[in-house]
Amino acid sequence: MRFLIFSILSFGIAVAINFCFGKFTYIGDGYFYRIRGNVPLSSKLLVVAMDETSEADLGVGNDLTRWRRYHAGLIRELHRQGVALVVFDLQFIRSDPEVDSDLADAMLEAGNVLASDCIQMFRRATEDFFGREECSESNKDSALSKTGGAGGELAEPLVALRRISANPRLEPALLGHAPFVLANDAEDATIRETWLYLDELGEMPSLPVVAWATYLDRMQGFEQSKPRDASYMDWLAELRRTCLAANGDRVSQKVDQRLVGIVCGEESRFINFYGPPQTLRMESYSQVLQGKVGDLRGKVVFVGKANRQYAAGKTDFFQTPLTDARTGKMAGVEIMATVFANLLEDRFIRTPLPHGAVYAGFALMLALLLSVLPAWTGYAATALFAVSYVLTAVWLFARHAVWLPVITPLFVMLPTAWLTSLVMARRELLIERRRMLAFVRRVFPQWAGALPLAESGGRKTAFAATTHREIRGVCLATDIEGYTSLAAGRSAEQMWELLNAYYQVLGRPVGARGGAVADVTGDSMMAVWFELSESERHTAACLAALDMQAAVTQFNQTSGLEPIRTRIGLYVGEMILGGLESGQANHYRAIGDTVNTASRIQGVNKFLGTQILACRELVDTTAIAYRAVGRFRVVGRAEPVDLAEIVAPEMGPIDGGFAVALSAFQRGDWQVAIEGFQSVLKRGTDGPANFYLALAQGYQNQPPIDWDGVVTLDAK
């Protein structure tokens, strides 16, 4: 159940965040690029920048139409140097009769020039017109008027796309042309994606795709040749239609394998920026035009507006993940060249799995760690997993251009999982506490409110604060002497009434002395002390044992039933307090060697004829009256325990030479021990003296081998 809740909440919140705030996913992606650093790129690329230097040299200013008179000269210079392709990030839509003929002739002579088309979008006829540089004044008419319809607004919203190519004088001279559209949204201006295809516009390829396919065809050729009468744009569009119609089935028979991944893939791709603006080789337009730039043979040259010194307000500049106050924005022509380089080197940023799948896997791992591992170990493990995930994401990005979302998993899913874990732990704690209190009230209805299981002085005790805890404290074990014979003559109902009254009497001193009842089974009860300081809890446990002894004596006097004799054993050490689940039931126990030893010590009373025995470590730190009764090796424990009998204050000193006789017994001086114990018994009945006298007499006749002063008990 915990696993499912962790998984569903973490995953659900991640999906909701990304649905409502999609750009949240990309926050900080610039750090991936900065950690990775600049990437070596192909030497086949060159950006010819229509920059500030060229504006001054040529006297053209910011008016792009005034540059056209120089394009023919640029093309001829590039052709002279043997460039492979010339790609203009410009739209030659308006006619310029003075220069278009010469420019067309230069394009035809070179035979390797491509240019950008314009995409117009209309909403509700003439309203909300969108188009780069407005695709010239002559093409502002609405989509309806262009198709012969009546002008005016539409009754219903309409979205129309239209491609506008170069003017009729220049278009036939171009080797290829296509639009170049960057994937962008109004809420996040950062450019991360580019459209490789515009499926809404007849599966039209973008200009970088047309340039890439043209370059490959001219350099190496394709297995399935392009029809001679078809443009590269039309041919690539037809190939994509083939892929989409086949749904990827047997497309290799009709599409060259070098084209399959692009032609048959997603419409858009994440751009792999090689570095900040001007990372690509960039030369001034005027310098190239004047033949001052060499080493251009075989290169693919991109020509476009690109101010070399960025200033706010300049057009055709875009924000990228690497944009900051130092780097500025990136020119559109450099982004186009970057996309072409990604195509050429197959280096787009890839997302191998949908974000939802990554979130699901991350959520499942968090849920597994928090469900399997205890409390802080689980939090530490999930934090370590998150750090490992981030390091892996950085490595994949730097080495393999694989992008995994980091912000949402790290800053949304991980805190959500932690918060959910804390809330569930608190909820489970309250449920367990209610179960424990219900159990106590059922067994001890008259004193449940006094137990530390409930609130004490306005605070909750540590025992109620967790369902599984390792502690060091005192364990007290009780047992009814002759319980079998006591139960033999009574019905189950009578025994229930007797034990219910008995345990109420026996349990009150535990709560009154700051302890907690950890278990009640048949005729036995376990109580623990661990919250007070060491000396305080030792004293409290011993006093509680004496209070139990007195309470049982009074109970016997008033019950009118056969007297019940209770044996008590106390031991101090480490133990676990927690709930053990058995099916649908919960059983609360103190577990460990300390508990077992306390029970064994309780059993030693049967041999010594005593009522309260405790380990010496416990009584030596208190002011409680006691006498040492020897060292015993109890059943199931190899190490001996040094025991003492706790004596009620009103009994007065009861040693009477017992210590001297015990010392003689422990060193193996059997005759002296026998005489000492006989002397003690002359003063009155004494259980321990009787026990040792019988042992000493037996050992005198048959001394034990390797005697170490420890009495070994073979029975409980």
Side-chain angles (χ1 to χ4, degrees):
M1 179 61 70
R2 290 169 60 92
F3 181 84
L4 287 176
I5 292 176
F6 288 144
S7 303
I8 293 171
L9 276 179
S10 298
F11 176 73
I13 290 178
V15 171
I17 287 288
N18 280 273
F19 179 78
C20 298
F21 310 100
K23 64 181 180 179
F24 183 82
T25 302
Y26 305 106
I27 293 176
D29 57 351
Y31 289 108
F32 278 121
Y33 286 102
R34 293 183 176 91
I35 292 172
R36 180 199 67 182
N38 291 1
V39 174
L41 53 119
S42 174
S43 60
K44 299 175 181 177
L45 299 180
L46 172 68
V47 174
V48 174
M50 298 162 63
D51 57 8
E52 300 93 336
T53 300
S54 301
E55 289 176 1
D57 290 347
L58 303 177
V60 293
N62 289 322
D63 187 355
L64 292 179
T65 61
R66 298 174 64 184
W67 289 79
R68 191 180 297 187
R69 72 188 69 170
Y70 299 102
H71 292 339
L74 178 70
I75 292 171
R76 290 188 175 100
E77 173 61 24
L78 293 173
H79 180 57
R80 183 186 68 79
Q81 295 203 42
V83 301
L85 289 179
V86 180
V87 184
F88 280 92
D89 184 29
L90 298 170
Q91 299 160 357
F92 302 112
I93 297 173
R94 294 180 184 174
S95 297
D96 189 344
E98 294 182 8
V99 300
D100 281 356
S101 293
D102 186 39
L103 178 56
D105 291 341
M107 290 177 176
L108 288 171
E109 290 169 14
N112 62 356
V113 180
L114 298 90
S116 179
D117 290 342
C118 180
I119 295 294
Q120 285 184 320
M121 175 166 39
F122 300 89
R123 288 197 183 97
R124 296 181 61 87
T126 58
E127 294 183 356
D128 298 334
F129 169 85
F130 297 92
R132 188 177 178 189
E133 296 184 14
E134 299 183 353
C135 295
S136 85
E137 294 293 330
S138 62
N139 289 283
K140 275 190 169 182
D141 293 339
S142 72
L144 288 182
S145 65
K146 283 290 181 181
T147 56
E153 294 187 2
L154 298 176
E156 297 295 333
L158 169 70
V159 175
L161 294 177
R162 178 169 62 201
R163 179 177 62 87
I164 300 177
S165 301
N167 64 62
R169 181 69 184 89
L170 296 180
E171 183 177 0
L174 292 170
L175 175 63
H177 56 89
F180 176 54
V181 181
L182 296 171
N184 197 1
D185 66 63
E187 295 184 356
D188 185 5
T190 302
I191 298 298
R192 295 184 177 87
E193 295 180 80
T194 182
W195 295 104
L196 297 184
Y197 271 88
L198 299 173
D199 288 344
E200 292 183 2
L201 204 60
E203 293 77 35
M204 182 178 298
S206 68
L207 183 57
V209 173
V210 172
W212 167 70
T214 303
Y215 179 80
L216 290 182
D217 193 25
R218 291 167 72 90
M219 294 297 105
Q220 304 168 14
F222 292 122
E223 295 177 6
Q224 294 84 19
S225 300
K226 175 181 73 67
R228 296 188 60 181
D229 58 343
S231 68
Y232 281 101
M233 182 180 66
D234 293 337
W235 178 56
L236 291 169
E238 182 59 34
L239 291 179
R240 181 161 181 82
R241 293 187 197 106
T242 300
C243 288
L244 296 179
N247 292 321
D249 184 26
R250 299 173 64 84
V251 296
S252 61
Q253 294 183 2
K254 296 183 179 181
V255 181
D256 187 284
Q257 289 304 302
R258 286 169 296 175
L259 297 175
V260 169
I262 300 302
V263 173
C264 302
E266 298 294 329
E267 270 189 283
S268 66
R269 298 290 178 91
F270 284 100
I271 304 171
N272 187 355
F273 293 96
Y274 296 87
Q278 302 183 45
T279 296
L280 303 182
R281 181 185 173 188
M282 190 174 289
E283 302 289 350
S284 293
Y285 185 104
S286 61
Q287 297 292 306
V288 177
L289 176 65
Q290 296 164 14
K292 297 179 180 180
V293 178
D295 187 27
L296 301 183
R297 180 166 296 279
K299 294 193 180 335
V300 179
V301 177
F302 290 84
V303 183
K305 185 70 175 175
N307 292 294
R308 306 294 291 279
Q309 295 181 351
Y310 169 73
K314 297 263 179 110
T315 60
D316 204 21
F317 274 78
F318 301 91
Q319 181 172 308
T320 71
L322 285 165
T323 296
D324 58 30
R326 181 180 59 83
T327 64
K329 297 181 179 181
M330 183 174 286
V333 66
E334 189 174 1
I335 296 178
M336 180 188 289
T338 300
V339 174
F340 176 85
N342 286 176
L343 286 162
L344 196 62
E345 300 173 347
D346 190 22
R347 293 177 73 169
F348 285 107
I349 298 297
R350 299 187 301 277
T351 53
L353 296 172
H355 286 179
V358 176
Y359 296 152
F362 195 88
L364 289 174
M365 192 63 188
L366 293 181
L368 178 64
L369 293 174
L370 290 173
S371 299
V372 173
L373 299 177
W376 295 109
T377 304
Y379 299 139
T382 51
L384 182 62
F385 165 68
V387 171
S388 301
Y389 172 83
V390 172
L391 294 177
T392 300
V394 171
W395 180 81
L396 286 173
F397 187 87
R399 293 294 298 273
H400 302 287
V402 171
W403 183 71
L404 296 177
V406 168
I407 297 299
T408 299
L410 193 62
F411 295 105
V412 175
M413 300 181 70
L414 183 61
T416 298
W418 284 349
L419 180 61
T420 304
S421 176
L422 290 172
V423 171
M424 289 189 64
R426 178 61 180 168
R427 178 177 175 275
E428 291 173 359
L429 165 65
L430 294 176
I431 292 174
E432 291 300 308
R433 184 168 173 265
R434 285 195 295 269
R435 289 177 179 174
M436 294 175 71
L437 289 174
F439 167 77
V440 173
R441 289 190 182 100
R442 185 171 63 252
V443 180
F444 315 113
Q446 298 182 13
W447 56 275
L451 287 177
L453 296 175
E455 292 189 2
S456 178
R459 63 178 177 86
K460 294 181 178 65
T461 68
F463 191 53
T466 181
T467 58
H468 183 107
R469 182 180 175 188
E470 183 176 350
I471 62 166
R472 179 175 178 81
V474 180
C475 182
L476 180 151
T478 73
D479 187 71
I480 297 177
E481 182 178 330
Y483 176 75
T484 302
S485 59
L486 181 67
R490 292 177 173 81
S491 66
E493 182 66 27
Q494 290 174 325
M495 284 303 300
W496 168 254
E497 293 177 357
L498 173 62
L499 290 179
N500 189 41
Y502 167 74
Y503 280 125
Q504 290 180 40
V505 169
L506 201 64
R508 287 194 188 98
V510 176
R513 296 293 184 179
V517 176
D519 190 17
V520 174
T521 305
D523 61 332
S524 302
M525 185 181 78
M526 290 286 178
V528 291
W529 281 260
F530 55 91
E531 287 192 295
L532 306 173
S533 66
E534 182 175 288
S535 61
E536 288 177 331
R537 64 175 172 248
H538 289 188
T539 300
C542 293
L543 291 175
L546 291 172
D547 291 346
M548 286 181 179
Q549 185 181 43
V552 171
T553 299
Q554 185 177 6
F555 174 77
N556 289 334
Q557 293 172 352
T558 58
S559 68
L561 302 173
E562 181 180 346
I564 296 176
R565 181 177 173 83
T566 301
R567 298 190 292 252
I568 301 172
L570 298 99
Y571 191 69
V572 61
E574 306 292 335
M575 49 190 154
I576 295 290
L577 290 179
L580 298 176
E581 293 189 6
S582 175
Q584 298 298 317
N586 289 75
H587 307 275
Y588 298 91
R589 297 286 188 271
I591 304 168
D593 178 66
T594 299
V595 177
N596 295 333
T597 304
S599 179
R600 296 293 181 265
I601 292 173
Q602 170 275 125
V604 177
N605 284 292
K606 178 171 58 176
F607 298 94
L608 297 185
T610 52
Q611 280 192 276
I612 307 174
L613 290 176
C615 62
R616 285 288 298 273
E617 179 185 350
L618 177 65
V619 294
D620 282 344
T621 58
T622 69
I624 303 298
Y626 71 91
R627 67 166 171 172
V629 292
R631 303 179 69 212
F632 293 84
R633 189 173 287 109
V634 296
V635 176
R637 183 181 173 88
E639 291 295 322
V641 289
D642 199 354
L643 299 183
E645 179 186 11
I646 295 178
V647 182
E650 63 270 14
M651 294 179 63
I654 61 171
D655 184 278
F658 180 84
V660 174
L662 179 61
S663 177
F665 177 86
Q666 290 176 335
R667 65 175 180 267
D669 194 344
W670 312 121
Q671 185 56 42
V672 173
I674 290 171
E675 293 174 357
F677 291 129
Q678 287 175 338
S679 177
V680 171
L681 290 171
K682 287 179 181 179
R683 296 182 177 87
T685 302
D686 190 287
N690 266 326
F691 173 78
Y692 279 111
L693 177 60
L695 277 182
Q697 290 172 341
Y699 290 164
Q700 187 177 39
N701 297 327
Q702 189 175 353
I705 301 173
D706 298 327
W707 174 247
D708 57 359
V710 178
V711 177
T712 299
L713 299 176
D714 297 326
K716 299 179 181 179

